[in-house]
Amino acid sequence: MGYLTVFLLSLVSLAYEVLLPRIFSFTQWHHLSFMVISVVVFGFGASGSLIALAEGRGSALLSANAPSHGQLGALGLLFSLSTAGSCLFLLGLPLDYFLLPLQVKQAGYLAGTYLVLVLPFFFAGAALSLSFALNPERSGWIYAAGMLGSACGAVVPALLLPRLGEVRIVLG
């Protein structure tokens, strides 16, 4: 995985993480904004665990003959599609946090929201973990590209919000 790809994936995933609490604050007030951190940590952690298990079992996923560029490209595409899809899902879902104690279906909506929002971070984490696993000799440079992308991902939404708004930033 190229350094530019790691940079961009880190930038976009952190920008989405920064924008999600803001989207939640408009759709559900601020009550579900806390959920974003757990969604991100769970997605990245689950994907890293899966890659570590595959590596430990000698899976073909991480072998030298595996088409690593194709796998990483597929994960990048899945990240892009799941980011747009999860944002649209979140905006169209009739979740009402205030009705949660009164309607059982609201708990299902909340669980569905959590699971759908995990997907982009799972795919981003899998792509980044796989890039480290496939290139352990370049891990320092991969880490640097990821950190630089994350730093930009924290700043870019603040610069674009006045002109575009949350949803247009996420959906492109």
Side-chain angles (χ1 to χ4, degrees):
M1 176 178 250
Y3 301 124
L4 180 61
T5 307
V6 171
F7 171 83
L8 291 173
L9 191 57
S10 298
L11 186 150
V12 174
S13 63
L14 194 76
Y16 189 43
E17 180 183 352
V18 168
L19 291 170
L20 272 175
R22 191 165 165 94
I23 293 170
F24 271 130
S25 70
F26 289 123
T27 60
Q28 299 295 321
W29 294 24
H30 64 281
H31 302 294
L32 295 179
S33 295
F34 68 89
M35 191 171 78
V36 173
I37 295 298
S38 66
V39 163
V40 173
V41 170
F42 182 66
F44 272 88
S47 64
S49 297
L50 185 69
I51 297 295
L53 283 173
E55 187 177 34
R57 293 181 182 219
S59 171
L61 178 71
L62 301 174
S63 70
N65 298 328
S68 61
H69 293 293
Q71 290 170 343
L72 293 171
L75 287 170
L77 178 63
L78 287 171
F79 167 75
S80 299
L81 294 174
S82 63
T83 300
S86 66
C87 182
L88 292 172
F89 177 82
L90 182 62
L91 294 174
L93 191 69
L95 173 65
D96 188 344
Y97 181 78
F98 294 109
L99 293 177
L100 192 59
L102 304 174
Q103 295 178 350
V104 175
K105 66 182 178 181
Q106 294 299 326
Y109 293 150
L110 184 61
T113 298
Y114 193 89
L115 292 174
V116 168
L117 288 176
V118 163
L119 289 176
F121 301 105
F122 178 85
F123 293 130
L128 294 172
S129 295
L130 195 57
S131 68
F132 280 106
L134 291 172
N135 302 297
E137 70 283 353
R138 297 188 299 165
S139 62
W141 289 107
I142 294 170
Y143 185 76
M147 290 301 288
L148 187 59
S150 296
C152 292
V155 174
V156 166
L159 299 174
L160 295 178
L161 272 173
R163 300 183 123 196
L164 300 176
E166 299 81 9
V167 176
R168 284 188 59 204
I169 292 173
V170 173
L171 297 179

